[in-house]
Amino acid sequence: MSSNERATRVLREIQQNPGNDTCADCGAPDPGWGSCSLGVFICLACSGIHRNIPNISKVKSLSLSHWEDHEVQFMAENGNEMMKSKYEAAVPVYYYKPTHKDCQVLREQWIRAKYERKEFSEPGKNFTYEEGTRDGLLMKRGRDNGQFLSRRFVLSEREGTLKYFTKYDAKEPKAVLKVDTMNATFQPEKIGNPNGLQITYLKDYSTRNIFVYHDNGKEVVDWYNSIRAVQLHYLKVAFPGATDAELIPKLTRNFLKEGYMEKTGPRQTEGFKKRWFTLDHRRLMYFKDPLDAFAKGEVFLGNKDHGYNAFAGLPAGTHCNGAWQHGITIQTPDRCFLFTCETENDQQDWLKHFSDVMSAPMSPQEYTMEALFKHRH
């Protein structure tokens, strides 16, 4: 057996130790790479980010690279669990730890924050996310012309708001977003920028989208985690008895699913039109264009026990004029909504998400939202 084969075998044995079977940074299963300077096992995607900080991390393939005996020994003595206790000793509860499903900028800034800036290595450090206010420029997409222009944004913990101004020295903000109805989610593909962030908020009970980015990845991720810090502060005041574990899921959230479907109107005699759909918890919103500021409409998805249901197919006799044939019917207590999907896979995936949402118990806030919905529609 060559020394390389022996090293690979030993590394695979070390990988059996608790924590080493997933990527140290994003949790992806069965990582095939290691940082022989940090002593952690990482996935292919994260190894690419480690490569960009060569003064801190030296990466090697577990099966293809040549490993020195002392490097193998170092991996055995350290490993993911031990390095987590060192480099993630003091991660604030609101800080978003990305998974392998998250975009590049979130993962890169998490890795740089841990190993390069050592932000979380010592307890008691002051975090930039916790300064109570944040004031700076972000590129924001114009609502009507689609151009990105530089806008001043001000986040205030005291006021519980994020404001933006069209001119830097403007006295009055163009909009005031309340952090308790606000969400932020990274959308690089949709926005067409690797640091693209979608911020949604409620305005007169309907959802408004704004799309921003910053050329500097650290800057945009800092904004994102500052928003989460302010939201957590707000929630702790609003729900004084709640634990962090109960509050963290109420901070920013990724959408459950997005994509195109075709839909017909309430009389169900109109033609099916292609629309962009966003499923955000119990709100199924539809847009003419993925980057529209306002939804054309939305459907509230309540609980199955209250007359909500979703199933494959369309009612008999539905005139389906569209190109897409894979139907979905959503029943609500008030009416049925009809959609078609391009492929059967797409249809099944949407149905699974609808079923999961409708099976989940509803919170008091969701009952309030349902009542508002009925009142409005």
Side-chain angles (χ1 to χ4, degrees):
M1 183 189 291
S2 72
S3 61
N4 245 22
E5 288 167 340
R6 193 168 59 247
T8 298
R9 203 189 70 208
V10 175
L11 286 165
R12 288 295 181 194
E13 281 168 13
I14 300 167
Q15 249 189 318
Q16 305 304 307
N17 296 343
N20 290 345
D21 57 344
T22 57
C23 173
D25 298 323
C26 75
D30 196 26
W33 295 73
S35 168
C36 59
S37 53
L38 292 169
V40 290
F41 291 88
I42 51 179
C43 71
L44 176 63
C46 289
S47 77
I49 298 168
H50 279 253
R51 269 212 184 83
N52 292 334
I53 38 175
N55 53 328
I56 286 166
S57 187
K58 187 179 171 196
V59 293
K60 290 188 168 186
S61 159
L62 299 183
S63 52
L64 301 171
S65 306
H66 171 72
W67 288 74
E68 302 290 346
D69 289 347
H70 69 88
E71 292 171 336
V72 175
Q73 185 65 27
F74 184 73
M75 296 299 283
E77 288 165 2
N78 292 290
N80 293 4
E81 294 282 313
M82 192 187 250
M83 289 300 102
K84 204 167 260 185
S85 64
K86 176 180 176 179
Y87 288 106
E88 297 181 29
V91 182
V93 284
Y94 57 77
Y95 189 97
Y96 184 77
K97 292 185 185 182
T99 72
H100 58 284
K101 294 181 179 149
D102 282 301
C103 64
Q104 176 82 4
V105 68
L106 269 174
R107 293 206 312 234
E108 176 167 359
Q109 290 309 315
W110 166 233
I111 288 167
R112 287 184 181 274
K114 280 205 297 187
Y115 307 117
E116 188 178 42
R117 301 194 289 271
K118 296 192 172 65
E119 283 187 26
F120 316 121
S121 295
E122 38 192 283
K125 260 177 90 165
N126 291 337
F127 292 104
T128 166
Y129 325 106
E130 289 173 21
E131 285 163 5
T133 67
R134 189 171 184 89
D135 185 333
L137 297 172
L138 292 168
M139 297 301 285
K140 178 190 168 292
R141 187 178 191 273
R143 193 178 94 191
D144 303 318
N145 61 10
Q147 272 185 309
F148 279 90
L149 295 165
S150 179
R151 294 287 179 253
R152 180 187 182 195
F153 281 78
V154 179
L155 178 68
S156 165
E157 185 179 281
R158 193 170 50 83
E159 295 178 20
T161 58
L162 175 68
K163 300 175 181 175
Y164 77 88
F165 300 81
T166 43
K167 295 204 167 44
Y168 196 82
D169 50 1
K171 294 278 176 282
E172 290 302 312
K174 181 83 167 77
V176 179
L177 291 56
K178 288 186 146 65
V179 297
D180 60 328
T181 72
M182 197 167 87
N183 185 30
T185 169
F186 278 91
Q187 294 278 12
E189 282 85 17
K190 193 155 94 177
I191 295 172
N193 182 287
N195 302 338
L197 187 66
Q198 178 174 350
I199 296 172
T200 65
Y201 64 103
L202 286 182
K203 188 180 179 190
D204 308 325
Y205 297 109
S206 65
T207 303
R208 165 84 207 268
N209 297 318
I210 56 178
F211 302 95
V212 298
Y213 72 83
H214 196 287
D215 286 328
N216 179 315
K218 177 182 184 299
E219 187 71 19
V220 78
V221 174
D222 285 357
W223 269 103
Y224 177 70
N225 281 304
S226 298
I227 288 169
R228 288 174 62 89
V230 168
Q231 286 180 322
L232 182 63
H233 173 84
Y234 180 90
L235 285 167
K236 285 192 154 172
V237 174
F239 305 99
T243 63
D244 286 343
E246 288 167 321
L247 296 179
I248 296 308
K250 292 180 162 51
L251 304 184
T252 61
R253 59 196 179 272
N254 295 330
F255 298 136
L256 296 176
K257 183 171 168 67
E258 287 197 290
Y260 285 108
M261 287 193 285
E262 292 182 340
K263 76 173 286 293
T264 181
R267 289 195 304 280
Q268 297 172 0
T269 51
E270 305 92 330
F272 277 78
K273 292 194 178 81
K274 188 174 167 185
R275 295 285 180 252
W276 177 264
F277 285 82
T278 297
L279 179 59
D280 184 10
H281 207 44
R282 290 192 183 276
R283 305 171 92 107
L284 177 66
M285 295 170 274
Y286 51 94
F287 304 84
K288 213 167 175 176
D289 182 272
L291 295 173
D292 283 349
F294 295 98
K296 284 191 79 66
E298 46 186 298
V299 184
F300 181 84
L301 304 181
N303 186 280
K304 277 192 172 132
D305 301 340
H306 298 247
Y308 292 87
N309 200 359
F311 48 86
L314 301 172
T318 306
H319 175 59
C320 189
N321 65 322
W324 294 357
Q325 299 302 315
H326 303 276
I328 291 179
T329 300
I330 290 183
Q331 281 176 333
T332 74
D334 305 320
R335 61 171 272 209
C336 282
F337 294 87
L338 309 184
F339 311 104
T340 55
C341 301
E342 186 173 18
T343 66
E344 191 181 346
N345 276 354
D346 223 13
Q347 174 202 45
Q348 293 305 315
D349 196 41
W350 277 111
L351 280 169
K352 183 191 176 307
H353 281 92
F354 295 151
S355 170
D356 289 349
V357 168
M358 291 174 181
S359 304
M362 277 173 51
S363 67
Q365 291 95 322
E366 287 169 342
Y367 280 112
T368 310
M369 194 191 284
E370 181 184 36
L372 280 167
F373 238 84
K374 288 185 169 160
H375 175 70
R376 266 177 48 221
H377 297 275

